[in-house]
Amino acid sequence: MFSLIYRRVSVLRLALFIAGYVWMLVIPSSQLNRGVYFDENALQPGQVNTYWNWKEVRDADVFLEQLERLRDSNATSEQRSQFLMNEFLKIGLSASTQSYEFTGIHKVINGTNAYAILSSPRVSGAEATVISASWLSRTNEGDGTLNLRGVATVLALSKFVKGYSLWARDIIFVISDGYMEGMQAWLSAYHGAPQSNLYAQSLELTSGVIWTAINIDYPGHSLSHLGIFHEGLNGRLPNQDLLNSFQYISRRTGVPVVIYDHKEEDSQLNWLPSSMQNHHEIKTYAAQARNLWRHVGFQASGRGSGVHGLFHQYRIDAFTMFALPASGPHGFHSLGRIIESTMRTTNNLLERLHASFFFYVLTNSDRFVKIGNFLPSAILISVAMMFGGLHVWVDAAWVWTNVTKGEMKEDEKKSVENKRLEPQPTATPHTAMVWVRRKRSVLDVLFIMIGTHIFGASTFFVLSSRWYNTVSFGPVVLFAVAYALPLVLRQLISQPQDHLAVSSLAPAHLVLKAFNLCLSSTVISIITVLNFSLAACLAVALGIPLSTSSPSSHKVVSLVKYSAYIVLGFGWILLGETTKRVIWNWDILGVWLLPFLCIVYFPLMLQAALVCII
Amino acid sequence: MLKTSLVIFLLLFNSVFCIKQAAEEFEENLSLKSLRDGRVTSSFSFKTLLRDAAPRDPRTLALDNDDSQHYTLFPLTLGQILRQYAITELHLTLNAGKWNYESWGYPDESGVGVGAELWAWMADGSPSSIDERWQGLRNALAGLFCASLGSLDEQRTTSPRQSFPPQGDLPDWGLPHELRHASHASEHVCTENLTPFLKLLPCKSLSGLATLLNPHRIFDADWHGIGLHVLWLPEGVEVRLNVQLVSDPLRISSTNKQDWSFHSLFDRKVDQACPIAKTSRVAVELPSSGFYRVHPEPLEIKDGQAYYNLKIANEAWNIGTMWPTDFEYPLSKPNQALVPFSVQRSLRGSTQDRGELSIVVTNHQQNTLQLRYLETMPWIIQFYLHTIRVHSDGVLKNDLISNISYVLPVAHSRPATFESILTLPGGSNLTFTMNVAKAFLRYTEHPPDAQRGWDLPPAVFTPLLQSRDDSIGRIYTPSLLVDLATPDFSMPYNVIMFTCSVVAFIFGSVFNVLTRKFVVVRLEPTEIQDN
């Protein structure tokens, strides 16, 4: 059985690779996904008569007018938060402000949040729901578009909910300053999780444990669709029941729901022949592939798709309702009804949302892929890599060599006898082609691997240091160092190859490759359950390249290969703005992508690069 | 022996005699007050006094012939419970909502902790132990009030004597008196508790102030609570039943005014006073400023209070206050705080095994304040006392906490009791932090709604009076909710766990069978003898 697998392992690996990559490509097809459903029976979405009406719309309009005046007068964030706090106080809520300052490695960011707490009648205040809006909209990830209508909706909503006694938990209204940073400061003060580069004023008012949060983003004049943004920091996802309830309610209210800001109309299939453009299956695939691509972008980078993503780190289920800017037909009236109904659905919860509804890939607002239908794709590739690694490991132990019979030592004879294949008698009677066992230097290779990870860690410390981010030529210099240092070390350490020892000692590059493949495979398998998109990206980035690394007899070819691996592994630091964003995300929001790239991904690539030149 | 039984007999005879002779009195009071934030607090109090009666001596419990209970006004069902378990003093409150001390001031009845709270003073010396009588008491009261008081078991029972001193007198029997206290934050008060409560009143809800106790309105109020207090005073045994509520006229009415009347608050009017009540009085606290009108014209105005006597015949009382202008919420804090200090308590940290209990106390006065701080914590939260840090206005000052007494929790059975005294310099802000560990429960110990978390009882702060005429007693913080490490009890995880266990079991057995070699080992008889 094992020998069968061993002999066919190359075919098996190829089959696994192909199966894995094809599976990844098939995930967006409608064959693998299914319609959404509700797992938590307590939710009962859309079962209530909503009370939000034109009076509340008028309130929202009035608030909007005041906010526009505030915008036109170029009010500082201090003045804005003071205004918002006063409005909350006039409504009769307890309200306060919170100022914060991030002394990050880029530049100092400061601002002031305003928040209010409705101590709901009759409840103990041990649980809470958050309704939030950030001052900047998420349009182009906080490019400066104001979320005035979102803020006006929150203000009108706070006035509205005050009039009812049906709330089962406290409701906290937060208007966070900036795009992401305001909410990060507010949440870290609320949960008492200090951050070394953040000064956040402690909160004057607190409530209980926050279970759910809804973030409202309404940058346009009116809205045509409502979009769901749900990815959190470091690839966390909210409980799917929350998203399902929202999309069900929204549809029932008459507002179409899309995922992200992807309207179905904008088709990108113009390059296909027209007969195929209109094919239902192809259209669905194209639309879902687009959604999935966006999802992978948000989840793999770990940056989250909006302000809601910050809540997930404190085990709060949250998402952003994004009102797609349009000239109609919906506005405050529909939005208010949908939010009210969604709030009342979450109000029905007696427990936190649980029921293991956290592993999913939304391919459309009402379709999702279950864990069993997407997870195996990355796992198959990881298995292929593991087989590859083990194969190389076994290969490293044996050499098919030409040995003169008289030269064969006793122990070698023994090992020849123990080997799997019989020595093949060859033409010359004095020599024989035999499988000879050789030693594999594990410790040396382990030191090399640990060395690469330490090297990766040191690049991480350089990248996240203040002075690196002040010099403009930093990336080029760091890349040059990362490129040259292993080469220099290689030259310094390399000993003249003892050709006589070749047959008794396995070449280091084989052992290194074996370990490298096994480690990468393990990393990918572990990450699949934590952050599937990242695991899939790793499977693509590492799968084939790491499996094909090998030294070349030609020095120049080796060097070209080495350079290619280094560019793959560390080239991202030359990307300018993108890299800056990654560093900012780590520094301010604590997104793990930067340390992951430096400490895990780059060293794995570096090991493959070393395989080529050792 | 003969002597003691004679004493007991005399005592018994005496008490029987007393009760037979006792005059029973009933009085009902209602006080109403408009609050700063537009809400109205109403506090009903129904007092029955059993003149010259005394609590039962626990030593007479052995005799079991306590058949002297003939009452006219005093609630019999309650009297039976009190005598059966020889309770000297008893306080039971069932509340819903979070009392907002900052904007509502100090309540008329101090027991405003959320959920159910029961405490009783009992003398020792009976054949059954105090804990047995405590258990019997809470089960009897659970039956009487249709509330889950049975869950106030030994996992929630503590004896913090300092924070809950007796409010009446304790009889001088030469026996030690013990306190038992328990609270249950997630117990909800509702109609099924109010109905038996009304049955204890002599006029039920047919006449008198109890007419106003309309469940639809009481349980819609922002804060509501019912309470039962039994104490021994020099005059006799007093039973006080009270209902407190904080209603929001601005929410109920469609206008923007804070006007209220009996009709708007309770949807009822009082047709007549309870005929057997000695007094039946309504007191309305007059607003300190602004234009307003109190209707009907009060009988008497004294110390900023308008008094009405409902015993005077009238055409259905509908007392209320009206304002000419719309209500506006105050935009700033009051110049003079309504309570001398305010407390904020939170359990921080987002992990499921560690956390930090944080208390922020603000002294609104200029003089130093000393507070007794009590935590009665279920064993699922374990304190690390060595991590206590006290900061005053941001400066570490550990000497501001003193007199720490701590009763260790016992896992799965006894809660912790932590008592200490905090000293707050005038106008200062004191922060108390302590690290806590969250327990890992056995899976059978999780409640059916496991993912909700566990409610922790409120902490209690009592100011140590320093020759001030304050009537401030205990101040309760809101309750907390703590998330413990909880297995996912939902179906998919059960399936995964079950399948994995089966696979592991089968794999283990098969692996064993395949890899082990079973041989018969023959032992030499001599070896057996040696052994």
Side-chain angles (χ1 to χ4, degrees), chain B residues 46-73:
Chain B
F46 305 95
K47 248 185 242 176
T48 311
L49 181 69
L50 200 57
R51 210 167 264 288
D52 299 330
R56 186 173 181 186
D57 188 321
R59 284 170 297 199
T60 63
L61 284 173
L63 299 176
D64 202 26
N65 57 352
D66 185 47
D67 54 355
S68 57
Q69 299 175 53
H70 303 290
Y71 309 119
T72 48
L73 302 179

Side-chain angles (χ1 to χ4, degrees), chain A residues 39 85-86 89-94 117-127 162-165 170 189-193 202-207 209 211 313-315 350-359, chain B residues 39 96-98 100 114 185 188 219-224 248 251 328-333 344-346 348-350 352 356 448-453 455 478-484 486 488-493:
Chain A
D39 197 88
M85 182 182 86
N86 275 336
L89 286 174
K90 277 185 208 162
I91 291 164
L93 304 171
S94 31
I117 296 178
L118 169 75
S119 298
S120 298
R122 310 181 291 178
V123 302
S124 64
E127 307 132 45
K162 180 84 173 36
Y164 295 91
S165 61
D170 283 5
Y190 193 92
H191 291 96
S202 60
L203 299 181
E204 232 176 279
L205 310 165
T206 55
S207 180
V209 181
W211 281 2
Q313 51 191 330
Y314 300 104
R315 206 178 158 220
L350 299 173
E351 306 177 57
R352 266 177 199 281
L353 285 168
H354 52 284
S356 41
F357 230 29
F358 294 93
F359 301 110
Chain B
R39 292 185 172 89
K98 183 164 71 175
N100 187 346
V114 68
H188 295 281
F219 297 116
D220 186 49
D222 283 18
W223 189 95
H224 51 261
D248 191 354
R251 172 157 62 78
E328 277 179 16
Y329 285 99
L331 293 185
S332 58
K333 294 200 169 115
Q344 203 185 63
R345 184 171 77 139
S346 52
R348 311 198 298 184
S350 52
Q352 292 183 329
E356 187 189 63
D449 52 349
Q451 298 284 341
R452 191 188 123 73
D455 283 283
S479 67
L480 295 173
L481 193 68
V482 59
D483 282 319
L484 302 181
T486 314
D488 191 333
F489 288 105
S490 59
M491 196 198 67
Y493 263 80

